[in-house]
Amino acid sequence: MRVSATTTLGVAFCLLVTLHYVESRPKEQSRRKHGRYYQRRASRKTKSDKPNIVVVMTDDQDSLLGSMDYMPKTMSLLQDFGATMKNAFVSTPMCCPSRSSFLTGMYVHNHNVYTNNDNCSSPQWQMTHERRNFATYLSNVGYRTGYFGKYLNEYNGSYIPPGWREWVGLIKNSRFYNYSVNFNGRITKHKDNYYKDYLTDLIANDSVTFLKVSKQIYPQKPVMMVLAMPAPHGPEDSAPQYQHLFENVTSHRTPSWNYAPNPDKQWLLQHTGKMEPIHIEFTDLLYRKRLQTLQSVDDAVYKVVKELDNLGELDNTYILYTSDHGYHLGQFGLVKGKAMPYEFDVRVPLYIRGPGIRPKSVISEMVQMIDLAPTILDMAGIAAPEQMDGESFLKLLQNGGRNEAVDLPWRDTILLERGKITARKIKIREKMEAMKNNIGFVSKDNRVMSDCSKPEFQVPCKPYQKWFCHHDQITGKYRMTKCRNIQKDRHHIKKKNCICPPKTQKAINKREKRIQKKFLLSHINYPHKFKPRFIRNKRSEYLDDVSAQLSHYEGKLGRIRTRRSFASDYDDPFAFPLSIEEYNYVKKCRVLLNDTVVCTKDIYVDVNTWKKHKQSLDKLIEHYKQQIDKLKEIRKYLKHSRPTDQQTGGLADVTMETSETMTTETTPMTTRQPIRLGSRDRGRPRNNNKAKTGLMITDNKSVISSDQQQVCRCNTPLRSDYLLRDRVGRKLSADDPLIYKVRRRKTNRHQRNQERKKRKKRKNLKRRTVTKL
């Protein structure tokens, strides 16, 4: 018995030694493979005195719809080992304003980012508030800071914001594929390969690499990272391995889901009815896709926590998980979206773990997004600057809430801001308040009646006048009507001593048009390629040369000048209307090649300089608007007085002369008039001799009086050009050789088709013969 017991103990001891060797062998191989890395960790004398800080911020993640229940890794790592902020809110439920409040710790009315477009990543934001984000204070005390992911909606990637040592900023709004990022000053474009370009995984990998390298090279420096995830924001592209999950999940159907209409709430919800069946199906599908995108975020949180644990920094790191605002899917009948002043949009998830925080603690005090920046600075041992509106809630985390610290005061209300209120909405609000209080309210009829007494609304309409007032005989009220067909800044001056022929041309009837079409189709080579179509009549209004056109244009504007005074009196449409002082204000801002506006510092500091600069720009814009209207009138006039195709050559060589200095030939001359395509013409031009009437029609269709020798432009048409267009769209004038080319033998369409068929048969016969040979 003693021998058998000894043998049994020996065998057991051998098995234990063998198992210990098998388990320790992979670890030894890993240490040999990464020996330098673990050697540095072992030789590290001390860690950083200040804690590391990691912030994970999602985009458009809800708190009340139950999305956190489907992220088990995040809940087990943060909720079970940290604190849950039960009442966390944002002041403005919109991406760019909320993220600006997160970076600066200020309300929207202080950092002036009201919407996703207005002042979002603008030059004013870059010059003032962006330089005072919490990362600048952390970087000054020795933190290695890094930002990964979405920054602001209008960030264009042309710069790296101050305070960040490592920068991987997404350009523009959230996307998962086909996006661009600014990687430490270099623009990198990504495509649609999941293994290389999926943004959520890219953020996780880059942040872990930054954390590992920072702790290897600078072990005594703390690290602060922000992981700004694009999920679950649209377009909701999930990873391939998660696209089959959450088939029948409907946890977003809260008690307020599809509860409509709501007469006790604001005007929008009063007029919002219940959702249609297609809307209900859409909300279910969208919620499913949002949960699928959050699974990659859940993996990223686990990856970062695991790396901190491997580095031995987990106990010395604060980890914050939150979202920029909430979301709604069918609540109160609203199909999807945000920006509503209700809990499903303003309440956000907030979980924090770190040194001094009790595991599984729940804090019910109300905190806001503006409190995150002061709290992060407090974790690093930095006092919050004066411009920050938020307060640090680190004491609440360490004490487990206000219940255990009775002397700790805290807020019981929060401020919600809608964003920018437009001028139109301000007027509507003032009108509603005036109607409610019966103070200073003026009805529309009375307001229109008072406006009708003003000189700018009188008839007839003047240049640049938009509205005029008239009295409605039926209703007996005054109405405002828009001025139409008003020629701006055009003064017609009637010329004297100008003899014009009477109006003799009349519009042709339908029978004449049919005859002309038949005539044209029988006198062209390829009638199947042309589709005759009559266009409107055109006036035969042409000038003698370029100098005559110039003099006529000056006469239209009431400015008849000589050759010497033309250069000095000409009204340049692009003349600079500002004085030297105003021009200096305009030069304070300029547009760079990358379409960014850069201004001097005094624009953002001095209010008077800003006002003068804006007034100068307004004056310049108004001036150029008027000049553009004048240029449009010039273009309209040039279109109206366009020469024919025969006159296009040689215009550049003609010298400018006025109507007073030019000389013309007064001898009678015979001109070749364009033919009117009628049944009696037979394609032959007519010769008209106008010498008997004292008028002369020159080659360029100008009318010259033999006794006055003056070029004038008649208001009556001398002829009507009935033009044609082929199927390609080219214009064919009346004297085009293609139209008047008469075939020697008259053949109809049937004969031509027969000949074409015979030619085809001959070609086919030749091909068959060659094939047989």
Side-chain angles (χ1 to χ4, degrees), residues 106-114 389 415 417:
M106 302 169 65
Y107 282 112
V108 170
H109 63 269
N110 286 331
H111 61 65
N112 299 323
V113 181
Y114 295 102
D389 299 322
L415 173 64
E417 296 181 276

PDB file of all heavy atoms in Angstrom, residues 106-114 389 415 417:
ATOM      1  N   MET A 106     -18.952  74.955 -23.389  1.00  0.00           N
ATOM      2  CA  MET A 106     -19.747  76.176 -23.445  1.00  0.00           C
ATOM      3  C   MET A 106     -21.109  75.891 -24.057  1.00  0.00           C
ATOM      4  O   MET A 106     -21.273  74.941 -24.841  1.00  0.00           O
ATOM      5  CB  MET A 106     -19.017  77.245 -24.276  1.00  0.00           C
ATOM      6  CG  MET A 106     -17.637  77.599 -23.762  1.00  0.00           C
ATOM      7  SD  MET A 106     -16.690  78.602 -24.918  1.00  0.00           S
ATOM      8  CE  MET A 106     -17.674  80.090 -24.944  1.00  0.00           C
ATOM      9  N   TYR A 107     -22.084  76.739 -23.682  1.00  0.00           N
ATOM     10  CA  TYR A 107     -23.406  76.653 -24.284  1.00  0.00           C
ATOM     11  C   TYR A 107     -23.352  77.121 -25.739  1.00  0.00           C
ATOM     12  O   TYR A 107     -22.401  77.799 -26.167  1.00  0.00           O
ATOM     13  CB  TYR A 107     -24.407  77.497 -23.507  1.00  0.00           C
ATOM     14  CG  TYR A 107     -24.911  76.858 -22.223  1.00  0.00           C
ATOM     15  CD1 TYR A 107     -24.579  77.391 -20.988  1.00  0.00           C
ATOM     16  CD2 TYR A 107     -25.728  75.737 -22.274  1.00  0.00           C
ATOM     17  CE1 TYR A 107     -25.046  76.823 -19.818  1.00  0.00           C
ATOM     18  CE2 TYR A 107     -26.203  75.152 -21.102  1.00  0.00           C
ATOM     19  CZ  TYR A 107     -25.867  75.697 -19.879  1.00  0.00           C
ATOM     20  OH  TYR A 107     -26.322  75.121 -18.736  1.00  0.00           O
ATOM     21  N   VAL A 108     -24.415  76.793 -26.461  1.00  0.00           N
ATOM     22  CA  VAL A 108     -24.480  77.162 -27.875  1.00  0.00           C
ATOM     23  C   VAL A 108     -24.502  78.676 -28.042  1.00  0.00           C
ATOM     24  O   VAL A 108     -23.883  79.224 -28.966  1.00  0.00           O
ATOM     25  CB  VAL A 108     -25.716  76.511 -28.531  1.00  0.00           C
ATOM     26  CG1 VAL A 108     -25.950  77.059 -29.923  1.00  0.00           C
ATOM     27  CG2 VAL A 108     -25.546  75.000 -28.583  1.00  0.00           C
ATOM     28  N   HIS A 109     -25.201  79.381 -27.168  1.00  0.00           N
ATOM     29  CA  HIS A 109     -25.289  80.838 -27.321  1.00  0.00           C
ATOM     30  C   HIS A 109     -23.971  81.529 -27.005  1.00  0.00           C
ATOM     31  O   HIS A 109     -23.841  82.740 -27.236  1.00  0.00           O
ATOM     32  CB  HIS A 109     -26.399  81.390 -26.418  1.00  0.00           C
ATOM     33  CG  HIS A 109     -26.161  81.170 -24.941  1.00  0.00           C
ATOM     34  ND1 HIS A 109     -26.623  80.055 -24.282  1.00  0.00           N
ATOM     35  CD2 HIS A 109     -25.492  81.912 -24.020  1.00  0.00           C
ATOM     36  CE1 HIS A 109     -26.267  80.129 -23.008  1.00  0.00           C
ATOM     37  NE2 HIS A 109     -25.572  81.243 -22.824  1.00  0.00           N
ATOM     38  N   ASN A 110     -22.988  80.792 -26.513  1.00  0.00           N
ATOM     39  CA  ASN A 110     -21.672  81.376 -26.244  1.00  0.00           C
ATOM     40  C   ASN A 110     -20.639  81.019 -27.315  1.00  0.00           C
ATOM     41  O   ASN A 110     -19.839  81.866 -27.699  1.00  0.00           O
ATOM     42  CB  ASN A 110     -21.158  80.923 -24.876  1.00  0.00           C
ATOM     43  CG  ASN A 110     -21.897  81.622 -23.739  1.00  0.00           C
ATOM     44  OD1 ASN A 110     -22.361  82.757 -23.896  1.00  0.00           O
ATOM     45  ND2 ASN A 110     -22.014  80.958 -22.606  1.00  0.00           N
ATOM     46  N   HIS A 111     -20.657  79.780 -27.809  1.00  0.00           N
ATOM     47  CA  HIS A 111     -19.706  79.460 -28.891  1.00  0.00           C
ATOM     48  C   HIS A 111     -20.293  79.701 -30.279  1.00  0.00           C
ATOM     49  O   HIS A 111     -19.593  79.544 -31.285  1.00  0.00           O
ATOM     50  CB  HIS A 111     -19.188  78.026 -28.773  1.00  0.00           C
ATOM     51  CG  HIS A 111     -20.232  76.962 -28.854  1.00  0.00           C
ATOM     52  ND1 HIS A 111     -20.986  76.702 -29.979  1.00  0.00           N
ATOM     53  CD2 HIS A 111     -20.640  76.043 -27.936  1.00  0.00           C
ATOM     54  CE1 HIS A 111     -21.800  75.700 -29.762  1.00  0.00           C
ATOM     55  NE2 HIS A 111     -21.619  75.273 -28.528  1.00  0.00           N
ATOM     56  N   ASN A 112     -21.590  80.043 -30.371  1.00  0.00           N
ATOM     57  CA  ASN A 112     -22.218  80.540 -31.602  1.00  0.00           C
ATOM     58  C   ASN A 112     -22.246  79.515 -32.731  1.00  0.00           C
ATOM     59  O   ASN A 112     -22.331  79.892 -33.904  1.00  0.00           O
ATOM     60  CB  ASN A 112     -21.522  81.820 -32.101  1.00  0.00           C
ATOM     61  CG  ASN A 112     -21.597  82.950 -31.097  1.00  0.00           C
ATOM     62  OD1 ASN A 112     -22.606  83.115 -30.418  1.00  0.00           O
ATOM     63  ND2 ASN A 112     -20.531  83.721 -30.986  1.00  0.00           N
ATOM     64  N   VAL A 113     -22.207  78.240 -32.432  1.00  0.00           N
ATOM     65  CA  VAL A 113     -22.418  77.204 -33.448  1.00  0.00           C
ATOM     66  C   VAL A 113     -23.853  76.727 -33.281  1.00  0.00           C
ATOM     67  O   VAL A 113     -24.140  75.868 -32.452  1.00  0.00           O
ATOM     68  CB  VAL A 113     -21.413  76.044 -33.295  1.00  0.00           C
ATOM     69  CG1 VAL A 113     -21.637  74.998 -34.379  1.00  0.00           C
ATOM     70  CG2 VAL A 113     -19.990  76.567 -33.377  1.00  0.00           C
ATOM     71  N   TYR A 114     -24.751  77.294 -34.078  1.00  0.00           N
ATOM     72  CA  TYR A 114     -26.186  77.078 -33.855  1.00  0.00           C
ATOM     73  C   TYR A 114     -26.718  75.847 -34.586  1.00  0.00           C
ATOM     74  O   TYR A 114     -27.617  75.180 -34.095  1.00  0.00           O
ATOM     75  CB  TYR A 114     -26.968  78.311 -34.306  1.00  0.00           C
ATOM     76  CG  TYR A 114     -26.676  79.535 -33.487  1.00  0.00           C
ATOM     77  CD1 TYR A 114     -25.832  80.535 -33.964  1.00  0.00           C
ATOM     78  CD2 TYR A 114     -27.219  79.699 -32.222  1.00  0.00           C
ATOM     79  CE1 TYR A 114     -25.558  81.666 -33.211  1.00  0.00           C
ATOM     80  CE2 TYR A 114     -26.952  80.823 -31.458  1.00  0.00           C
ATOM     81  CZ  TYR A 114     -26.113  81.799 -31.961  1.00  0.00           C
ATOM     82  OH  TYR A 114     -25.841  82.909 -31.215  1.00  0.00           O
ATOM     83  N   ASP A 389     -18.844  76.987 -19.319  1.00  0.00           N
ATOM     84  CA  ASP A 389     -20.121  77.091 -18.608  1.00  0.00           C
ATOM     85  C   ASP A 389     -20.424  75.861 -17.754  1.00  0.00           C
ATOM     86  O   ASP A 389     -21.250  75.944 -16.842  1.00  0.00           O
ATOM     87  CB  ASP A 389     -21.260  77.291 -19.612  1.00  0.00           C
ATOM     88  CG  ASP A 389     -21.086  78.568 -20.429  1.00  0.00           C
ATOM     89  OD1 ASP A 389     -20.631  79.572 -19.851  1.00  0.00           O
ATOM     90  OD2 ASP A 389     -21.392  78.546 -21.639  1.00  0.00           O
ATOM     91  N   LEU A 415     -30.661  73.578 -19.151  1.00  0.00           N
ATOM     92  CA  LEU A 415     -31.031  74.505 -20.221  1.00  0.00           C
ATOM     93  C   LEU A 415     -30.998  73.769 -21.550  1.00  0.00           C
ATOM     94  O   LEU A 415     -30.018  73.110 -21.887  1.00  0.00           O
ATOM     95  CB  LEU A 415     -30.062  75.693 -20.269  1.00  0.00           C
ATOM     96  CG  LEU A 415     -30.230  76.661 -21.450  1.00  0.00           C
ATOM     97  CD1 LEU A 415     -31.584  77.368 -21.389  1.00  0.00           C
ATOM     98  CD2 LEU A 415     -29.092  77.668 -21.491  1.00  0.00           C
ATOM     99  N   GLU A 417     -31.419  74.445 -25.688  1.00  0.00           N
ATOM    100  CA  GLU A 417     -31.404  75.486 -26.704  1.00  0.00           C
ATOM    101  C   GLU A 417     -31.737  74.878 -28.054  1.00  0.00           C
ATOM    102  O   GLU A 417     -31.210  73.827 -28.418  1.00  0.00           O
ATOM    103  CB  GLU A 417     -30.027  76.153 -26.766  1.00  0.00           C
ATOM    104  CG  GLU A 417     -29.657  76.878 -25.483  1.00  0.00           C
ATOM    105  CD  GLU A 417     -28.312  77.550 -25.594  1.00  0.00           C
ATOM    106  OE1 GLU A 417     -27.294  76.864 -25.373  1.00  0.00           O
ATOM    107  OE2 GLU A 417     -28.265  78.750 -25.902  1.00  0.00           O
TER     108      GLU A 417
END
